Amino acid sequence: KYYPDFDGAKDVCVNDGLQPMYMDVSADHWMYLTLMECCATHYEWNYAECVGSNPNAPVVNDQATYNKWFPDWLNDPQTCKND
């Protein structure tokens, strides 16, 4: 699972299994199935670089987010989209 790498030099999420113990203890809050979820939650201001750290990250159609509007920070002009 992906987690925010607060100790790393870049502001990105990683899935290397080296997360701090407090993230394991509160996995519902810190651990994510997709890179996009982690980046959107913890690095929204750095989303493009965070997601770009793994361009092959899977997209998950979660009922909580499916068919909802979201900002598209990767394209120019930046707009809102929905699924």
Side-chain angles (χ1 to χ4, degrees):
K1 291 189 171 183
Y2 290 91
Y3 67 94
D5 186 16
F6 297 132
D7 295 329
K10 295 182 178 181
D11 296 313
V12 297
C13 294
V14 296
N15 66 347
D16 58 9
L18 300 175
Q19 65 273 10
M21 186 182 296
Y22 73 88
M23 290 185 182
D24 286 329
V25 172
S26 298
D28 289 345
H29 180 74
W30 296 108
M31 306 300 288
Y32 299 88
L33 293 176
T34 69
L35 178 63
M36 286 78 138
E37 290 175 299
C38 183
C39 292
T41 303
H42 296 284
Y43 298 112
E44 66 181 41
W45 50 270
N46 192 43
Y47 184 80
E49 184 176 336
C50 184
V51 171
S53 65
N54 182 357
N56 297 319
V59 174
V60 173
N61 287 329
D62 184 317
Q63 287 292 41
T65 58
Y66 184 72
N67 204 26
K68 305 286 187 198
W69 289 92
F70 59 93
D72 180 10
W73 290 305
L74 300 178
N75 291 313
D76 189 26
Q78 295 175 346
T79 61
C80 289
K81 294 183 173 182
N82 72 351
D83 298 78

